[in-house]
Amino acid sequence: MTPEKNGGTAVLPGSYDPVTFGHLDIISRAANAFDNVIVGVVNQPVRKQQTVFSAEERVAFIEAEVAEYGNVQVKPFDTLLVDFAREHGAKAIVKGLRAISDFEYEFEMNQLNRKLAADIESVYLMASPEYSFLSSSGIKELATFGAGIEDLVPPYVAKALHDRLSRQGR
Ligand code: PNS
């Protein structure tokens, strides 16, 4: 029997540069709770910092991992998050929270998004303990200095990151 869900559609936004096992844990838990999940990958031109991977690459990395789920789609976006959520009929924005340090930024984003669209609820999933220290920027720092990241990101992401960072001569 298919598990009963009635959360409708949820959007899971982020830069995902690159996706980590921590992100994938949140995506899989959201896929269990909501009927449909749209992973929204922030497109580079709207962000101030350069990303290591293009939006297409970041989307492809996640797609490879969520292919087994029947209710998860991955899409790039370069609009306001609430407009992206509306476009997909999402009632919820889902984000992962790791530590108190995430709270301040997410609290601000929550207030902004709520002001723009009070009808879209932001929902926070606490990071699983084994991933509570994991961040894309931490992974990039480790990869830059040649540390092993194989147990933190999918194998082809680890390889792509090592190739990309060493190609850039970092
Ligand atoms: O920390 P991240 O992963 O870069 O988060 C990106 C995002 C979109 C989740 C965060 O910046 C947010 O909640 N922004 C709300 C304001 C907005 O819509 N910005 C435009 C993003 S294209």
Side-chain angles (χ1 to χ4, degrees):
M1 208 169 84
T2 316
E4 200 176 308
K5 303 174 203 169
N6 57 12
T9 298
V11 159
L12 272 68
S15 300
Y16 300 104
D17 185 44
V19 69
T20 68
F21 285 148
H23 295 130
L24 292 168
D25 176 56
I26 298 289
I27 293 169
S28 110
R29 287 160 58 196
N32 278 330
F34 290 86
D35 298 303
N36 295 299
V37 167
I38 315 275
V39 179
V41 176
V42 176
N43 207 346
Q44 188 179 309
V46 299
R47 305 293 295 187
K48 286 195 189 83
Q49 326 104 286
Q50 271 282 11
T51 54
V52 171
F53 296 106
S54 69
E56 292 73 25
E57 290 172 313
R58 288 176 280 139
V59 166
F61 289 149
I62 304 170
E63 271 175 347
E65 288 297 311
V66 302
E68 67 193 89
Y69 305 121
N71 62 339
V72 180
Q73 289 173 275
V74 190
K75 294 172 185 281
F77 75 103
D78 54 12
T79 59
L80 276 175
L81 173 56
V82 292
D83 291 341
F84 178 70
R86 280 227 172 87
E87 195 187 314
H88 294 285
K91 291 199 285 188
I93 292 167
V94 173
K95 292 185 171 187
L97 271 190
R98 289 162 302 187
I100 298 285
S101 48
D102 282 343
F103 180 83
E104 211 170 325
Y105 171 73
E106 292 302 346
F107 189 74
E108 182 186 339
M109 288 301 139
N110 181 293
Q111 305 298 315
L112 289 174
N113 289 330
R114 182 190 297 262
K115 191 168 168 49
L116 295 170
D119 55 316
I120 300 175
E121 200 61 58
S122 292
V123 177
Y124 300 88
L125 299 185
M126 292 295 162
S128 298
E130 62 269 39
Y131 302 125
S132 59
F133 63 94
L134 204 50
S135 69
S136 297
S137 48
I139 300 279
K140 283 182 279 198
E141 186 162 336
L142 293 187
T144 301
F145 291 95
I149 51 171
E150 285 69 19
D151 53 343
L152 306 175
V153 294
Y156 46 90
V157 173
K159 184 177 182 319
L161 202 44
H162 282 304
D163 289 352
R164 185 66 50 94
L165 292 178
S166 61
R167 257 213 307 278
Q168 289 177 354
R170 286 187 214 176

